[in-house]
Amino acid sequence: MNNGRKTLEQWRGEIDSLDAELLQLLNQRARIACEIAAIKVASGLPAYDPQRETQVLSKIAARNQEPLDSQSVLAIFGSIIRETRRLGTERMEELTAAKEVKVAQRGRSIAVEGAGSPAPE
């Protein structure tokens, strides 16, 4: 009998549940970063915004409560931000390449459409 105290396996079960939630949230954050990447490409904005990153980390540090110290929290979130930025940058590169292909295809289709017409002088 455990006198109302949780067993090691019960605590580990809670950790496993939290890990699953964290994974779901991290993937949700990554999906949002990909949406932001599309907006940045359409707006001509750079992938990296150091002011925004500083703002996010400052908010996180201010909300932190023990037992994790601020240095640990900033290291964890710094890693999350770096990985999300990497994914967002990749998405921006894909979107930019697709945009360039469309522009190139449009240019070719115009040339093909005008192929039977005399060249302008």
Side-chain angles (χ1 to χ4, degrees):
M1 184 163 211
N2 64 15
N3 296 329
R5 297 178 76 171
K6 291 185 181 182
T7 66
L8 177 61
E9 289 307 311
Q10 288 170 323
W11 283 118
R12 286 180 174 170
E14 284 195 35
I15 293 267
D16 291 345
S17 294
L18 289 171
D19 287 347
E21 282 183 64
L22 286 169
L23 182 59
Q24 180 183 359
L25 291 170
L26 288 170
N27 279 306
Q28 182 179 353
R29 189 182 201 285
R31 281 189 290 277
I32 291 169
C34 288
E35 294 297 328
I36 290 171
I39 293 169
K40 285 183 173 184
V41 166
S43 303
L45 297 171
Y48 178 56
D49 182 349
Q51 288 179 318
R52 173 64 181 154
E53 185 171 319
T54 299
Q55 180 186 41
V56 169
L57 291 173
S58 293
K59 282 183 190 179
I60 292 299
R63 292 179 180 167
N64 183 40
Q65 297 176 359
E66 293 182 357
L68 289 174
D69 61 34
S70 291
Q71 184 178 359
S72 296
V73 169
L74 291 175
I76 292 165
F77 275 86
S79 180
I80 291 168
I81 289 169
R82 276 189 305 280
E83 287 304 310
T84 305
R85 183 183 338 118
R86 182 189 59 76
L87 183 63
T89 300
E90 288 175 4
R91 181 69 177 139
M92 288 179 76
E93 290 169 357
E94 291 169 4
L95 292 169
T96 299
K99 190 176 181 181
E100 289 170 0
V101 166
K102 283 183 180 178
V103 169
Q105 287 174 340
R106 260 190 250 137
R108 273 192 237 124
S109 66
I110 290 170
V112 170
E113 290 171 6
S117 306
E121 294 183 30

